[in-house]
Amino acid sequence: MLYRAEMHILAGRRREAEQELRDARGALGAPGVPQYAYPLATTEAQIALLAGDLDRASEIMQQVLATGVAKDADRYRWPAVWLGSRIEADRGPEAAHAADRAAALHKLATAMNAHVPSDHGYKALSEAEYSRLLGGDTVTAWSDAVTATRQMNEPHPLAYALLRHAEALAAAQDSEAATAEVREALELAQRLGAAPLVELANEVIRAGGLTGVDDGGAARADGATELDDLGLTTRELEVLRLVAEGHSNGEIAEQLFISRKTASVHVSNILAKLGVTTRVQAAAVAHRRGIADAKAH
């Protein structure tokens, strides 16, 4: 349910995301464990962002991040720290408590452990958001964030970092470099079906006075090519499409008339072949490669 909510948020479908969040809260109650508490809070905050309620989003993140957790929970906390930092940067330094909350988040990010590429990516994003709020060297900060997010194997954070880097470059009068960053980000966003990112790209283009940006849809890859490129079997390709649609292992098993255990094995094999660790990342690859909505052969 949270996974489906995240996919709806990615596409800008607020009402659908709200329903999935309600279902998740009904199933999970009020969990205190980090692996549920943080995703629930970030989902709720992102829904508030889609509704344009920055203050509400800020309050949600403040509440969850104020909760003391074990140090080994940092991997669940990193996405929340970035989101919190992003919200305060969006609110701006003049908004109530924005500067103080951003400073607290910056201090927290400095103290947290970063072990794997995703941790380092979120840390770089958080630092860049802090620079965006304070008006520091945003070109360098977002350049560092782009470099770090490229190692995450997650197109959504990368596309976002590219757009913010483009924004900073345009402000520094480097329109050529800014345009190149927007082009790459738009291609990723369109393949993901990420409407909010496309909207942000258009804002960057307008604000920066950028020209020559191709906003046409990216070409979609053929399913047979994906079998060769990714090493997927025909069955795994079917499973990946269902994962990209937000289906659970049980739902996949029902649709393909296989056992839940077999569906789980297929998903594990897919994650390994794609070089990702989560279903969301696998779905992002499917959308980016243009196979999520392709018909099975």
Side-chain angles (χ1 to χ4, degrees):
M1 287 172 282
L2 279 177
Y3 164 71
R4 288 195 291 267
E6 185 168 351
M7 297 308 296
H8 286 310
I9 289 168
L10 184 75
R13 297 188 292 264
R14 178 169 61 89
R15 295 190 183 281
E16 291 87 342
E18 287 175 335
Q19 182 58 57
E20 295 294 346
L21 177 61
R22 284 193 292 269
D23 292 345
R25 288 200 181 280
L28 298 173
V33 290
Q35 58 264 45
Y36 295 124
Y38 285 112
L40 283 168
T42 55
T43 298
E44 185 178 2
Q46 288 180 91
I47 290 172
L49 283 180
L50 288 177
D53 194 344
L54 289 170
D55 291 343
R56 172 61 180 155
S58 176
E59 291 297 332
I60 293 167
M61 298 314 300
Q62 284 302 302
Q63 290 173 14
V64 72
L65 288 167
T67 304
V69 297
K71 288 186 177 181
D72 60 0
D74 281 352
R75 61 177 174 144
Y76 303 111
R77 203 161 37 161
W78 273 119
V81 170
W82 169 41
L83 180 58
S85 301
R86 174 183 173 183
I87 290 167
E88 300 311 328
D90 283 347
R91 293 176 73 221
E94 301 303 320
H97 311 299
D100 290 341
R101 289 176 177 177
L105 287 165
H106 180 66
K107 182 178 180 180
L108 175 61
T110 302
M112 286 169 57
N113 295 315
H115 299 295
V116 297
S118 60
D119 295 347
H120 291 289
Y122 287 125
K123 182 174 184 177
L125 287 165
S126 300
E127 291 174 348
E129 298 289 11
Y130 192 53
S131 180
R132 179 161 72 97
L133 176 71
L134 298 181
D137 183 1
T138 53
V139 171
T140 299
W142 285 110
S143 176
D144 291 344
V146 169
T147 299
T149 52
R150 286 194 189 281
Q151 305 304 313
M152 294 174 68
N153 201 25
E154 293 186 44
H156 186 274
L158 172 58
Y160 177 83
L162 285 165
L163 289 174
R164 289 303 184 193
H165 189 212
E167 182 179 55
L169 288 166
Q173 306 301 311
D174 192 345
S175 297
E176 182 176 353
T179 298
E181 298 290 77
V182 171
R183 282 174 177 161
E184 182 180 355
L186 262 176
E187 182 177 355
L188 291 172
Q190 289 164 342
R191 289 184 177 179
L192 283 169
L197 280 181
V198 173
E199 182 178 345
L200 176 60
N202 289 329
E203 291 175 4
V204 171
I205 292 168
R206 288 193 298 269
L210 304 180
T211 59
V213 180
D214 180 12
D215 60 355
R220 310 192 95 182
D222 178 77
T225 302
E226 300 304 325
L227 294 177
D228 298 331
D229 292 349
L230 301 176
L232 299 176
T233 66
T234 301
R235 175 63 88 186
E236 287 168 348
L237 190 60
E238 291 177 321
V239 172
L240 177 56
R241 290 190 182 106
L242 292 173
V243 167
E245 291 174 6
H247 293 289
S248 66
N249 287 349
E251 292 167 339
I252 291 171
E254 290 179 6
Q255 291 204 32
L256 298 182
F257 303 101
I258 58 179
S259 69
R260 184 188 295 263
K261 182 176 181 181
T262 298
S264 177
V265 170
H266 282 314
V267 171
S268 296
N269 289 340
I270 290 167
L271 296 183
K273 290 182 179 182
L274 297 185
V276 299
T277 58
T278 70
R279 299 169 77 96
V280 171
Q281 293 171 350
V285 171
H287 285 288
R288 176 165 52 88
R289 299 295 291 263
I291 61 175
D293 301 319
K295 293 181 179 180
H297 296 288

